Amino acid sequence: MPDQDLPDATARELYRAILAEGGRIRVGEVRPEDEAAVRQLADLGLLVLRTADGTYSAVNPRAVGERIGADLREESARLLARAAAVPDLLDDLTQAYDTAPRRADPVGGVRRVVGMPEIRHLISQLVKDYPHEVLAAQPGGPRPHDHMQDTLDHSRRYVEAGGAMLTVFEPSACTDPRTVRYALHSTQVGAPIRLLEGPFTKTLIFDRTVAMIPATPDHTVAAVVEDAAMVAYLVGVFEQQWQQAQAVDWESLAAGSAPIAHEQVGRLLARGLTQRAIATRLGLSERTVAGHIARLRELYDAETLFQLGWQMRGARDA
């Protein structure tokens, strides 16, 4: 309820004083300094002027509150009805926007966007303008927690509207339980996430028409690519990455088991990486990697890392 629909502190004090005097005050007894408060109480209906005896009589605030509440609810209903009608009133402009041709940037089909707020705003706009497919390569470890739920909600709405979303993470993302739960929910709503070993570049591709890549190491400047040949190249790179990436049982991972980390350690060990290099690559502690290696030694009955790597390479080749 807006403040203007309620008595201020002076009016409240005067109302209590009138109640203390029996609920009435004669017009001639109203002091000049109280005239504004009396008018406010009368306008709200908390005081009623009785012309027969020239007095103001106090009214039960419950009745006044119910009346004001009913008026506000009625006004709210009118505002909601108007709000619901706005999209229809702008429908002709929306159709014109959707059917208008997209003009590529005149300077080589690449433009720069500076600042994270501007980048996030542009991504939201591109998702709306290109509603059919999003291809996302997202390097790094755990995802930022602040935007997880919003991103998940956007993904759900995008897929429900008929769009497709494919995302690639680094294996080190599995070290964060919240990132694992996010990946599980994303996959469940139809936006699957896979894990890709090795370095790759952050990339977003919309409808195979527009791509966004970092223009600075800190990702605070983005390059928006609209050149058809460049976008086609980036699409080809992503498709190769998606084929090489590993599908994940996110549900098992979220439940506390860690088959992915175990398998990743085994594959990297078979490739000849050291324990420290594996820990760095997967974002795990060396102690955790050592635990995986110990279990692999038992599995392959190997006494040394050399024997384990040799036997695992043989098993892999077989």
Side-chain angles (χ1 to χ4, degrees):
M1 180 182 293
D3 291 343
Q4 59 266 31
D5 293 324
L6 295 172
D8 60 22
T10 302
R12 289 170 181 268
E13 183 179 353
L14 178 61
Y15 182 82
R16 293 190 183 94
I18 293 173
L19 292 179
E21 295 297 327
R24 292 190 180 185
I25 183 173
R26 300 185 66 84
V27 174
E29 296 175 351
V30 176
R31 299 177 301 177
E33 60 268 26
D34 292 332
E35 290 179 355
V38 168
R39 282 197 301 271
Q40 186 183 74
L41 293 170
D43 290 342
L44 291 172
L46 288 168
L47 289 181
V48 174
L49 177 61
R50 300 182 182 277
T51 56
D53 57 3
T55 62
Y56 285 104
S57 179
V59 176
N60 190 333
R62 291 189 183 88
V64 175
E66 291 175 359
R67 174 180 57 78
I68 294 176
D71 291 342
L72 289 175
R73 285 191 292 272
E74 183 178 351
E75 179 63 21
S76 297
R78 286 196 295 268
L79 291 174
L80 287 173
R82 290 179 59 189
V86 167
D88 292 335
L89 296 175
L90 295 177
D91 184 62
D92 59 327
L93 300 181
T94 302
Q95 292 183 18
Y97 179 87
D98 290 341
T99 57
R102 299 285 184 264
R103 292 194 305 172
D105 191 271
V107 184
V110 178
R111 55 192 171 96
R112 293 162 64 91
V113 180
V114 181
M116 292 308 300
E118 289 75 12
I119 292 173
R120 284 193 289 267
H121 175 74
L122 179 59
I123 291 174
S124 299
Q125 188 61 51
L126 290 173
V127 168
K128 295 176 183 176
D129 291 344
Y130 301 95
H132 304 298
E133 184 182 49
V134 175
L135 309 177
Q138 302 280 17
R143 313 317 300 169
H145 296 167
D146 294 346
H147 305 290
M148 277 187 178
Q149 189 58 50
D150 286 343
T151 304
L152 183 62
D153 292 340
H154 286 307
S155 299
R156 180 185 294 106
R157 288 194 293 269
Y158 192 86
V159 172
E160 288 176 350
M165 302 187 75
L166 303 178
T167 302
V168 172
F169 280 176
E170 284 186 2
S172 57
C174 294
T175 61
D176 177 50
R178 293 182 65 175
T179 298
V180 171
R181 289 194 298 271
Y182 164 79
L184 168 63
H185 296 322
S186 179
T187 301
Q188 288 175 337
V189 302
I193 296 176
R194 291 183 178 181
L195 297 180
L196 178 66
E197 292 182 25
F200 56 91
T201 301
K202 182 180 181 68
T203 309
L204 292 173
I205 305 172
F206 304 89
D207 280 4
R208 303 180 179 237
T209 303
V210 177
M212 181 180 292
I213 58 176
T216 56
D218 61 1
H219 294 182
T220 58
V221 180
V224 181
V225 182
E226 296 173 307
D227 179 81
M230 295 176 66
V231 173
Y233 169 78
L234 292 173
V235 169
V237 171
F238 179 87
E239 288 180 336
Q240 291 180 0
Q241 292 173 337
W242 182 256
Q243 292 301 321
Q244 295 170 1
Q246 179 182 4
V248 179
D249 184 356
W250 293 109
E251 187 171 1
S252 297
L253 203 58
S257 58
I260 298 304
H262 192 64
E263 294 172 8
Q264 295 286 347
V265 168
R267 277 197 296 273
L268 295 177
L269 191 63
R271 287 166 52 185
L273 272 71
T274 65
Q275 178 175 306
R276 175 170 297 180
I278 293 172
T280 301
R281 174 72 65 85
L282 298 182
L284 302 174
S285 69
E286 289 192 50
R287 183 176 181 179
T288 299
V289 172
H292 287 296
I293 292 175
R295 288 192 292 274
L296 289 168
R297 279 181 174 176
E298 293 177 3
L299 179 63
Y300 286 90
D301 193 23
E303 295 183 0
T304 66
L305 285 180
F306 178 79
Q307 290 177 348
L308 178 59
W310 180 270
Q311 292 175 215
M312 292 185 67
R313 280 193 293 273
R316 184 185 63 181
D317 294 340

